[in-house]
Amino acid sequence: MSSTGNEAKVTVIGGGHVGLPTAVVLAHFGHEVVLAESDPVRLKMLLRGESPIVEAGVEELLGDALRLGTLRIAHSAAEAVRNAEFVFLCVPTPQGIDGSADLTFVEAVAEEIKTTLRPGAIIVNKSTVPVGTAALVERVTQRAGATVVSNPEFLREGSAVADSLHPERIVVGADDPADAQKVGQLFAMTGAPVIVTDTTTAEAIKYASNAYLATKLSFVNALADLCETVGANVDDLMAGLGHDKRIGFEFLHPGPGWGGSCLPKDTSALLHRAELVGHDFALLRGAIAQNEDHMERVVQKVARLSGGTLDGASIGVWGLTFKAGTDDRRASPATEITRRLVQAGARVSAYDPTVPRGTGDSDLAGITIVPTAYEACRGARVMALLTEWGEFASLDFTKVAALMATPIVVDARNVLDPTTIRSLGFIYEGIGRK
Ligand code: UGA
């Protein structure tokens, strides 16, 4: 931490995947931060200096900030905003029944803080919200003399702290560019370019980013499927594409489908929004449909390799989270594929380093959770590697083969070396690999 002379009084509302990294990094930059968290379990952990989410580097920064007094944890949002010059809204915007973004939490917080906001406070909307939400929050809070700006987040789970410390850009949308500049100044230490625009455009940038990333992945996965049909090798194909700087290597890795708490929800909300205004966003609809089909292809691949049927088959699963480096299983392709295997009659033993044995979580109903990667192999007809946890690539595959009923692996993350695995007697199939 160092002083820039621009230290501000900041309140962050919501201590989840966005709010907590944002709060600890703003405190690290030297700002005076209050973090409000309403959930009693999360609150208790935060007060003890423990992170309620699995996120690299968060707990260290949380401990430092609490020790230095740059961060205070509060229960009540209304109380936490009293002295704040900037109030960051980092509350969930889950997917509503019709695919739109549910703004219940955003509206509730705006109501809660409207009477205690300090006049002239700037409300910074970091939650992913549909175009027009800044205006909605402003309507609720305008009597307090507060202004609302939009500052979308581009943090990835698992690297949210690194992404906050070294962002590629800061986007701030405001009616008055001077307010946008003030928010941009909070992140001056990052040296990132600040894109100042209106609130509507800032909100649209967030959805456009996630929709682009999702579409890129659907394109990659569709190419991988095509590779299987025409006998091409996706690894070489992606190398051939990625070296073109206009395409690049990032987000070019085929997998079981894209998931998580953001890409599925945001693509669906953008599509819903487009439909509302009569815009036929066929490209995005296609990307979403491709992702659905792609997950089903993985299920069918496991079924084919397990002798044509899943009914009564013992299948082992490695990985349940939506990607490695997080304990998040929201809209996880790994969990979804595993559920479909169970629905088709398979007896599934699954291992994930973040999922404890005996969990009663409803998304895991019917799945036997085992404590080690090797346990998942016992008696299995097929192993499906669904999340790219590093430990799976370094397993002893001679031991794996000895534990399985038949040595067959579906590597839906393309992380194993096909030549090595096949030399040990395995039938190996990746995604689009020869
Ligand atoms: C995503 C965006 O990457 C962030 O920029 C954004 O801020 C965030 O959503 C958000 O809106 O909050 P995240 O949900 O953490 O971040 O996940 P990603 O790392 O983007 O991965 C999304 C999915 O794509 C995962 O299922 C992942 O396994 C898959 N993926 C990603 C691939 O299959 N291949 C790749 O090459 C990259």
Side-chain angles (χ1 to χ4, degrees):
M1 185 194 85
S2 68
S3 169
T4 61
N6 285 320
E7 289 77 17
K9 291 185 194 323
V10 179
T11 290
V12 177
I13 300 180
H17 287 282
V18 174
L20 182 54
T22 301
V24 297
V25 166
L26 285 169
H28 178 76
F29 290 157
H31 301 299
E32 202 180 302
V33 181
V34 181
L35 172 62
E37 172 55 57
S38 58
D39 178 85
V41 177
R42 285 186 167 203
L43 180 73
K44 261 193 194 154
M45 292 184 75
L46 289 167
L47 287 167
R48 286 198 301 262
E50 290 167 16
S51 172
I53 54 168
V54 171
E55 193 59 67
V58 154
E59 208 155 84
E60 289 80 350
L61 287 189
L62 175 65
D64 290 350
L66 291 173
R67 249 188 321 278
L68 288 167
T70 47
L71 178 69
R72 183 166 70 77
I73 310 290
H75 173 55
S76 148
E79 182 271 324
V81 300
R82 273 184 201 285
N83 294 316
E85 298 163 83
F86 300 90
V87 177
F88 280 75
L89 301 189
C90 301
V91 295
T93 49
Q95 189 169 322
I97 302 160
D98 60 357
S100 65
D102 178 348
L103 297 177
T104 313
F105 294 106
V106 174
E107 288 186 65
V109 167
E111 282 292 339
E112 189 183 345
I113 62 177
K114 70 179 182 189
T115 52
T116 45
L117 276 171
R118 149 182 174 166
I122 296 180
I123 299 176
V124 187
N125 216 340
K126 233 184 191 345
S127 305
T128 300
V129 289
V131 170
T133 306
L136 182 150
V137 175
E138 199 148 50
R139 272 198 299 283
V140 178
T141 55
Q142 66 189 359
R143 289 241 310 276
T147 39
V148 181
V149 312
S150 166
N151 170 226
E153 54 84 18
F154 302 104
L155 315 178
R156 289 162 301 172
E157 281 184 32
S159 54
V161 168
D163 290 346
S164 304
L165 290 171
H166 312 288
E168 286 170 345
R169 81 290 209 191
I170 305 286
V171 172
V172 196
D175 289 341
D176 181 350
D179 289 334
Q181 297 293 357
K182 283 185 205 160
V183 174
Q185 270 304 107
L186 295 174
F187 303 96
M189 283 181 70
T190 66
V194 180
I195 295 148
V196 172
T197 182
D198 56 89
T199 50
T200 305
T201 308
E203 289 165 344
I205 288 171
K206 169 67 194 191
Y207 280 102
S209 299
N210 276 357
Y212 181 81
L213 292 171
T215 305
K216 186 173 183 185
L217 285 178
S218 279
F219 182 80
V220 163
N221 286 333
L223 278 179
D225 295 343
L226 183 66
C227 282
E228 291 180 5
T229 317
V230 300
N233 186 348
V234 80
D235 296 337
D236 300 342
L237 186 96
M238 293 308 157
L241 285 179
H243 279 289
D244 184 330
K245 287 201 181 76
R246 294 168 303 174
I247 299 173
F249 282 103
E250 300 273 336
F251 257 66
L252 212 58
H253 198 85
W258 41 268
S261 67
C262 305
L263 265 45
K265 159 176 88 67
D266 294 351
T267 45
S268 153
L270 184 59
L271 190 62
H272 182 264
R273 186 73 189 173
E275 278 165 5
L276 276 185
V277 295
H279 178 81
D280 180 19
F281 206 154
L283 178 65
L284 186 57
R285 196 164 355 92
I288 295 169
Q290 193 286 332
N291 199 43
E292 265 300 306
D293 291 351
H294 189 72
M295 285 192 267
E296 187 55 29
R297 272 181 76 101
V298 177
V299 175
Q300 293 312 322
K301 189 175 282 191
V302 176
R304 173 171 48 78
L305 289 171
S306 105
T309 178
L310 288 165
D311 200 14
S314 288
I315 306 293
V317 163
W318 285 322
L320 290 164
T321 53
F322 84 97
K323 63 176 181 178
T326 174
D327 60 348
D328 201 339
R329 297 195 305 274
R330 284 177 292 173
S332 165
T335 306
E336 176 59 26
I337 289 166
T338 307
R339 267 205 304 258
R340 290 187 196 183
L341 295 171
V342 171
Q343 271 161 17
R347 289 194 310 270
V348 178
S349 291
Y351 165 74
D352 185 286
T354 67
V355 181
R357 196 176 194 166
T359 164
D361 295 354
S362 59
D363 66 325
L364 303 178
I367 304 167
T368 304
I369 303 296
V370 293
T372 67
Y374 292 113
E375 276 297 312
C377 309
R378 208 174 284 283
R381 213 188 275 176
V382 179
M383 284 306 302
L385 192 161
L386 301 178
T387 310
E388 73 282 23
W389 289 107
E391 65 179 276
F392 299 146
S394 52
L395 289 170
D396 173 351
F397 276 88
T398 309
K399 185 170 167 185
V400 168
L403 286 165
M404 292 181 72
T406 44
I408 304 175
V409 173
V410 171
D411 173 11
R413 293 286 182 170
N414 287 1
V415 288
L416 305 177
D417 177 29
T419 312
T420 314
I421 297 289
R422 285 181 184 135
S423 73
L424 294 170
F426 277 87
I427 293 173
Y428 170 92
E429 285 199 24
I431 303 289
R433 278 177 149 183
K434 271 194 169 180

